[in-house]
């Protein structure tokens, strides 16, 4: 497979997008960012910005002509828009497509069955169909929850509030990766095309437990005043499924419940035992590295 030079990024303004764009630029790729026509976001001067209509196959196809790869970091709520993006990329003869995965192990059977991942699985099916036809190839990047973002916003642990939810007791090991390392993993995929062709890759900065995160958090902030709440994953799932049965279910009452189950539930494959870190150039962190991250995040203003 020929070398990747030109990379288009869709969804470059979210939590992950800026890190991916930055790492691609640092690695010497020529980066084009696809933006909605109403966007006024500013990007580095070396980035080519192309406004597109995500509802128009023609608009997307024209924007992707001459691109070697597409990296999607589109937000979860808009995942289904990737179906048209996949079709456009294939029509534009893009070589490699990296969809917006970057989280739970969507290859694991229990995870694939979660209703909030229906659109993600549909995108995977579309990519597999394109690959089977001998055209565009793909790579899925599984990372676990965003490590630094997850700490910063209190999703994994709330350092400033000195609180943590211990799902099923907090002893289950899960993989997690920082935004910068995810950007590096994208670069690693695009520089190892044959080794990452038409398959998932698994990366992590750390594999840890919520109990261990709590222990490190107490070292950073002091042990006094911490609140640890044991939460049952089964109860979260029961609440989520009950909400979905309502005539007008509220996403606030089921989306994150399913996502938390995919990370901290039993049998969802959230601890990556076979890693692609070495292939993609991702070094795993020590406890000292993790504690340094926590220290830095306690100094960030809300």
């Amino acid at each position: 497979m020929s070398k990747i030079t030109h990379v288009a990024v869709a969804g470059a303004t979210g939590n992950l997008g800026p890190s991916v764009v930055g790492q691609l630029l640092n690695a010497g790729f020529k980066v084009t960012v696809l933006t909605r026509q109403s966007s006024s976001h500013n990007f580095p001067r070396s980035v080519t910005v192309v406004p597109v209509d995500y509802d128009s196959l023609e608009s997307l196809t024209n924007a992707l002509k001459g691109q070697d790869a597409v990296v999607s970091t589109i937000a979860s709520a808009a995942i289904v828009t990737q179906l048209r993006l996949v079709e456009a990329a294939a029509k534009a003869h893009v070589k490699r497509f990296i969809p917006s995965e970057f989280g739970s192990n969507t290859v694991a059977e229990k995870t694939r069955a979660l209703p909030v991942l229906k659109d993600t699985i549909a995108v995977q099916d579309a990519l597999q169909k394109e690959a089977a036809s001998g055209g565009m190839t793909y790579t899925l990047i599984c990372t676990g929850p965003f490590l630094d973002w997850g700490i910063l916003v209190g999703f994994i642990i709330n350092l400033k509030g000195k609180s943590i939810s211990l799902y099923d007791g907090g002893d289950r090991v899960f993989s997690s990766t920082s935004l910068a390392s995810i950007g590096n993993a994208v670069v690693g995929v695009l520089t190892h095309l044959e080794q990452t062709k038409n398959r998932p890759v698994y990366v992590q900065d750390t594999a840890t437990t919520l109990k261990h995160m709590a222990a490190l958090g107490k070292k950073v902030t002091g042990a006094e005043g911490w609140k640890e709440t044991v939460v049952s994953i089964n109860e979260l799932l029961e609440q989520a499924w009950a909400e979905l049965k309502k005539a007008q279910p509220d996403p606030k009452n089921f989306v994150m419940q399913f996502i938390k189950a995919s990370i901290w539930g039993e049998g969802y494959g959230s601890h990556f035992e076979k890693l692609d870190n070495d292939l993609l150039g991702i070094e795993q962190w020590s406890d000292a590295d993790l504690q340094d991250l926590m220290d830095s995040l306690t100094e960030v203003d809300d």
Side-chain angles (χ1 to χ4, degrees):
M1 185 176 291
S2 57
K3 182 181 177 182
I4 299 293
T5 302
H6 295 86
V7 182
V9 179
T13 60
N15 294 313
L16 177 60
S19 178
V20 169
V21 169
Q23 299 293 2
L24 288 169
L25 291 174
N26 290 341
F29 291 97
K30 298 183 183 302
V31 178
T32 295
V33 166
L34 307 183
T35 66
R36 295 191 182 277
Q37 292 169 337
S38 59
S39 174
S40 59
H41 193 87
N42 293 320
F43 294 95
R45 293 177 62 183
S46 54
V47 168
T48 300
V49 179
V50 179
V52 297
D53 178 359
Y54 277 98
D55 295 322
S56 167
L57 180 62
E58 181 181 10
S59 173
L60 291 170
T61 303
N62 288 336
L64 294 178
K65 287 179 179 176
Q67 298 296 322
D68 299 313
V70 171
V71 180
S72 174
T73 57
I74 287 174
S76 299
I79 287 292
V80 71
T81 63
Q82 288 185 113
L83 289 172
R84 192 172 289 108
L85 191 62
V86 169
E87 184 178 358
K91 285 181 176 293
H93 305 293
V94 167
K95 300 168 187 172
R96 177 63 53 92
F97 196 108
I98 299 176
S100 188
E101 295 266 339
F102 310 113
S104 303
N105 185 358
T106 56
V107 179
E109 186 175 347
K110 281 185 72 172
T111 308
R112 293 174 66 84
L114 294 172
V116 292
L117 294 174
K118 179 183 67 173
D119 292 339
T120 296
I121 303 309
V123 172
Q124 289 183 12
D125 291 343
L127 287 169
Q128 289 169 1
K129 183 177 179 181
E130 291 294 342
S133 70
M136 183 172 65
T137 61
Y138 69 89
T139 305
L140 314 177
I141 303 181
C142 298
T143 64
F146 301 162
L147 182 57
D148 43 356
W149 176 88
I151 297 172
L152 179 64
V153 303
F155 178 69
I156 295 174
I157 183 173
N158 185 343
L159 291 174
K160 291 187 177 182
K162 290 191 171 184
S163 65
I164 187 169
S165 294
L166 301 176
Y167 297 100
D168 287 348
D171 290 314
R172 204 164 280 139
V173 178
F174 66 100
S175 298
S176 187
T177 313
S178 65
L179 299 176
S181 290
I182 295 172
N184 284 329
V186 170
V187 170
V189 166
L190 296 180
T191 53
H192 296 85
L193 293 175
E194 285 299 326
Q195 299 98 317
T196 62
K197 179 180 177 181
N198 299 336
R199 73 174 181 93
V201 297
Y202 296 90
V203 296
Q204 66 183 32
D205 281 330
T206 186
T208 187
T209 68
L210 289 170
K211 274 191 174 178
H212 188 60
M213 293 291 285
L216 291 176
K218 290 172 185 176
K219 288 183 180 180
V220 170
T221 66
E224 293 297 321
W226 271 85
K227 181 181 179 181
E228 298 180 359
T229 305
V230 175
V231 179
S232 166
I233 290 293
N234 283 339
E235 288 182 6
L236 283 184
L237 289 172
E238 288 172 5
Q239 294 165 11
W241 285 113
E243 184 68 25
L244 279 181
K245 291 178 182 178
K246 295 180 180 178
Q248 294 183 316
D250 185 346
K252 290 186 296 184
N253 295 328
F254 68 83
V255 172
M256 291 312 299
Q257 286 82 348
F258 284 123
I259 296 300
K260 289 173 181 178
S262 75
I263 300 168
W264 293 298
E266 178 68 34
Y268 290 89
S270 58
H271 178 204
F272 308 150
E273 297 182 354
K274 185 177 180 181
L275 296 172
D276 292 284
N277 280 46
D278 289 344
L279 173 65
L280 303 181
I282 309 298
E283 292 187 12
Q284 294 197 64
W285 291 14
S286 65
D287 272 0
D289 295 325
L290 192 50
Q291 193 166 329
D292 285 345
L293 172 65
M294 289 186 177
D295 276 324
S296 69
L297 293 178
T298 58
E299 299 169 0
V300 176
D301 292 332
D302 292 327

